[in-house]
Amino acid sequence: ETSAIPPARLFKAFVLDSDNLIPEVLPQAIKSTEIIEGNGGPGTIKKITFGEASKFKYAKHRIDALDPENCTYSFSVIEGDALTDIASVSTEMKFVASPDGGSIMKSTTKYQTKGDFQLKEEQVQATIDKATGHFKAVEAYLLAHPDLYS
């Protein structure tokens, strides 16, 4: 995904302060996030309670890596009612500068399924579309509030 927002600012909002910002910007999607264990760095476990627009109730994420200097972040979904046929979901994100002064967010997600279950392409695409929507909502919020996260 591309954005007009520079990488460091986007990373601060979308990753470092997501526990506060996402429920404010997208309350129908994410109701709340709380740290279950850890200090916010690698190894931290967070419980995300989904909002009314979600068919799921919660998920637990483990922060696998967090590097604000290089704007990289990775996490795994380790528990939740969406993981019926999926053992885990791991996502790696990197925010890099684009030539126009904005940024490009690169993301890779790996699914580990249970047994012989196979994800359907439309399930993967629906997840991508939802994540893109969240990203664009945060971007729009930052564009409307240019003094935040600078």
Side-chain angles (χ1 to χ4, degrees), residues 35-45:
I35 292 179
I36 301 296
E37 71 179 63
N39 61 5
T44 295
I45 308 287

Side-chain angles (χ1 to χ4, degrees), residues 26-31 50-57 130 134:
L26 294 159
Q28 70 281 8
I30 306 285
K31 185 175 181 179
F50 297 114
E52 295 175 11
S54 177
K55 61 182 177 180
F56 303 113
K57 292 183 173 129
K130 187 180 345 178
H134 290 186

